[in-house]
Amino acid sequence: MAENRHQQALDTSAPPLQHGGDSGVFDDDGRPKRTGSVWTASAHIITAVIGSGVLSLAWAIAQLGWVAGPAMMVMFSAVTYFTSTFLAAGYRTGDPVNGKRNYTYVDAVRNNLGEFKMKFCGVVQYVNLFGVSIGYTIAASISMMAIKRSNCFHKSGGKNPCHMNSNPYMISFGVVEILLSQIPDFDQLWWLSIVAAVMSFTYSTIGLVLGVMQVADNRKFKGNLTGADPGTVEKVWNSFQALGDIAFAYSFSNVLIEIQDTIKTPPSEIKTMKKASRMSIAVTTTFYLLCGCMGYAAFGDLAPSNLLTGFGFYNPYWLIDIANLAIVVHLIGAYQVMSQPIFSFIEKFVSNRFPDSQFINKDVKIPIPGFRSLKLKLFRMVWRTIFVIITTLISMLVPFFNDVTGLLGAIGFWPLTVYFPVEMYIAQKKIPKWSPRWIALQILSMTCVVISIAAAAGSVAGIIHDVKSVKPFHTSY
């Protein structure tokens, strides 16, 4: 029985095991009973959503202006919530309460839309998650350097430019992630997500407070209705990139199903997930509007690309240090939340392919004095270590925070946040083609694909511009 249960945990298409008297220990699919709640789900979402993207929102609003900037943020939040409810409904196929569970995003797409679209979804999702891991490594290193640079500026009275290389900071972040990557799965990450969510509120609040203080010091709100005007061509590219930055700031659809798979019942997973999504998006949108708008009000068209590391703020330096430390701690947790679906996919695939391999499937116990023995799988340890090393090396090659976040937001927004959730909803509800409802959903999808293409173009243009002035592995700030 134990062997069968192990095989089912690896095979997402296996039928539920029957446990009889064990119903209090196992769920309806034979897996250990899930323990997640609306609070842990909200923590996972906030950890995934309120990430480093919040720091670029003042710059994004500066490109779009007081009218379009806040309007686009509200629009993205509405679309994200609207489509997240569609995606949450795809967790179970058939009956929303007792139907077959889909453990991952690609499982949901396979069972609702077929194999071809499942493969397309898998490529987009895992490439996006891989890219987000790179973006988080870059952002964390910039925040670590900002701590040292703010102290350097303080000691020299602003006379020392305090240049430094980013590589040691990226490597140190990677070492921490190698250790944390040995946490087996999402269900055991709840504590890290809660810590990360608290940290995200901490640095967002500090950014907001500093913005308010700067506005009070200026005695006026800076900025204008249409935003910065560096010239027609650059204005267009910057505006497109700003859309990508806003889209990136709302991205959590790529891990929504995986988060939903941690939720206990009753009530049904979809009810809990909808409530968690509603709470989380309302909170994050409020924070985003406050931080982005106050940052723009404080600096106007000169708003830095990263509010807390672009040195628009210099004092109080100790408060900026606390904010950047909170960013680093948050990104440590966010990296894990975003990487777990990739880890899980590769490990299940390899385990199913080589079920008799002890290197892949056997637990190795490592004794820790005073604690329970740590159980590790050798393949998991090696593969996850290689993954972190690769993301760290790429981060050293392409250390462009704003451009990378914009491109990631553009790549992932339409397919993962809009297209697949809408198509699954149409399939589940059997909405007739060319009906008013079908047409409205297709208009939403097409509008979002145009925004994604424009945002990707703007970010690629920014990366091409930045690459000209950077030497690989020798980036300094």
Side-chain angles (χ1 to χ4, degrees), residues 22-168:
D22 291 341
S23 59
V25 179
F26 297 96
D27 271 327
D28 58 348
D29 59 345
R31 295 190 174 189
K33 206 155 187 73
R34 293 157 176 83
T35 58
S37 65
V38 67
W39 299 109
T40 59
S42 296
H44 284 313
I45 293 171
I46 290 171
T47 299
V49 179
I50 301 186
S52 54
V54 69
L55 303 174
S56 65
L57 292 179
W59 180 89
I61 293 179
Q63 310 315 306
L64 299 171
W66 279 118
V67 176
M72 293 305 297
M73 289 176 66
V74 172
M75 187 209 78
F76 273 97
S77 70
V79 170
T80 301
Y81 173 69
F82 188 56
T83 56
S84 71
T85 61
F86 293 167
L87 187 53
Y91 175 65
R92 286 185 183 266
T93 302
D95 186 81
V97 177
N98 300 310
K100 180 180 179 296
R101 294 174 186 264
N102 295 306
Y103 303 116
T104 64
Y105 199 139
V106 291
D107 287 341
V109 173
R110 177 199 292 117
N111 292 323
N112 285 284
L113 301 176
E115 287 287 327
F116 176 77
K117 289 187 177 179
M118 179 273 291
K119 291 177 181 178
F120 173 53
C121 174
V123 170
V124 174
Q125 182 192 14
Y126 296 130
V127 167
N128 185 257
L129 290 172
F130 179 72
V132 169
S133 301
I134 294 169
Y136 283 172
T137 303
I138 296 170
S141 69
I142 292 173
S143 287
M144 285 188 272
M145 286 189 293
I147 295 172
K148 189 168 182 179
R149 290 185 72 198
S150 71
N151 292 331
C152 174
F153 281 140
H154 179 72
K155 288 179 181 178
S156 67
K159 296 177 182 178
N160 187 340
C162 303
H163 291 304
M164 60 190 66
N165 193 295
S166 62
N167 290 348

Side-chain angles (χ1 to χ4, degrees), residues 80 91-92 129 162 234 244 251 261 286 301 303 398 402 410 439:
T80 301
Y91 175 65
R92 286 185 183 266
L129 290 172
C162 303
E234 192 173 347
S251 60
D261 192 45
T286 301
D301 296 345
V398 194
N402 235 40
I439 291 173

Side-chain angles (χ1 to χ4, degrees), residues 39-51 189-205 280 283-284 287 326 329-331 333-334 337:
W39 299 109
T40 59
S42 296
H44 284 313
I45 293 171
I46 290 171
T47 299
V49 179
I50 301 186
L189 277 176
W190 63 268
W191 61 272
L192 188 58
S193 283
I194 289 174
V195 171
V198 171
M199 292 298 103
S200 67
F201 283 123
T202 299
Y203 67 72
S204 298
T205 301
S280 303
V283 169
T284 53
F287 262 79
V329 174
H330 170 261
L331 291 174
V337 169

Side-chain angles (χ1 to χ4, degrees), residues 94-363:
D95 186 81
V97 177
N98 300 310
K100 180 180 179 296
R101 294 174 186 264
N102 295 306
Y103 303 116
T104 64
Y105 199 139
V106 291
D107 287 341
V109 173
R110 177 199 292 117
N111 292 323
N112 285 284
L113 301 176
E115 287 287 327
F116 176 77
K117 289 187 177 179
M118 179 273 291
K119 291 177 181 178
F120 173 53
C121 174
V123 170
V124 174
Q125 182 192 14
Y126 296 130
V127 167
N128 185 257
L129 290 172
F130 179 72
V132 169
S133 301
I134 294 169
Y136 283 172
T137 303
I138 296 170
S141 69
I142 292 173
S143 287
M144 285 188 272
M145 286 189 293
I147 295 172
K148 189 168 182 179
R149 290 185 72 198
S150 71
N151 292 331
C152 174
F153 281 140
H154 179 72
K155 288 179 181 178
S156 67
K159 296 177 182 178
N160 187 340
C162 303
H163 291 304
M164 60 190 66
N165 193 295
S166 62
N167 290 348
Y169 300 93
M170 291 186 184
I171 292 170
S172 61
F173 182 80
V175 169
V176 173
E177 293 303 342
I178 287 173
L179 297 175
L180 289 175
S181 291
Q182 305 313 314
I183 298 173
D185 53 45
F186 244 125
D187 205 38
Q188 298 178 42
L189 277 176
W190 63 268
W191 61 272
L192 188 58
S193 283
I194 289 174
V195 171
V198 171
M199 292 298 103
S200 67
F201 283 123
T202 299
Y203 67 72
S204 298
T205 301
I206 291 174
L208 173 60
V209 169
L210 290 172
V212 171
M213 291 170 59
Q214 186 67 45
V215 169
D217 189 52
N218 296 339
R219 297 185 178 180
K220 66 176 182 178
F221 280 71
K222 292 188 176 182
N224 58 73
L225 295 180
T226 57
D229 187 13
T232 304
V233 175
E234 192 173 347
K235 170 73 172 178
V236 171
W237 290 125
N238 287 352
S239 296
F240 286 167
Q241 186 180 329
L243 294 178
D245 286 350
I246 295 172
F248 177 78
Y250 278 104
S251 60
F252 80 99
S253 296
N254 45 11
V255 291
L256 185 146
I257 294 291
E258 285 80 358
I259 292 173
Q260 195 167 350
D261 192 45
T262 67
I263 295 172
K264 64 184 177 184
T265 55
S268 67
E269 299 91 354
I270 186 172
K271 285 185 178 180
T272 302
M273 198 64 197
K274 282 183 177 180
K275 186 176 181 181
S277 297
R278 184 167 60 249
M279 288 170 51
S280 303
I281 293 175
V283 169
T284 53
T285 300
T286 301
F287 262 79
Y288 283 180
L289 285 170
L290 289 171
C291 290
C293 291
M294 290 310 300
Y296 184 41
F299 300 109
D301 296 345
L302 299 178
S305 61
N306 188 314
L307 191 61
L308 291 172
T309 63
F311 290 96
F313 301 117
Y314 289 92
N315 288 299
Y317 78 98
W318 55 269
L319 187 60
I320 297 170
D321 288 353
I322 292 173
N324 280 296
L325 179 60
I327 292 171
V328 174
V329 174
H330 170 261
L331 291 174
I332 287 171
Y335 184 103
Q336 290 302 311
V337 169
M338 291 300 189
S339 301
Q340 282 293 333
I342 302 179
F343 295 160
S344 177
F345 170 75
I346 294 296
E347 287 156 22
K348 285 176 182 176
F349 175 81
V350 173
S351 185
N352 284 332
R353 191 75 181 269
F354 306 101
D356 299 323
S357 170
Q358 293 198 359
F359 172 71
I360 295 170
N361 296 311
K362 184 180 178 181
D363 283 326

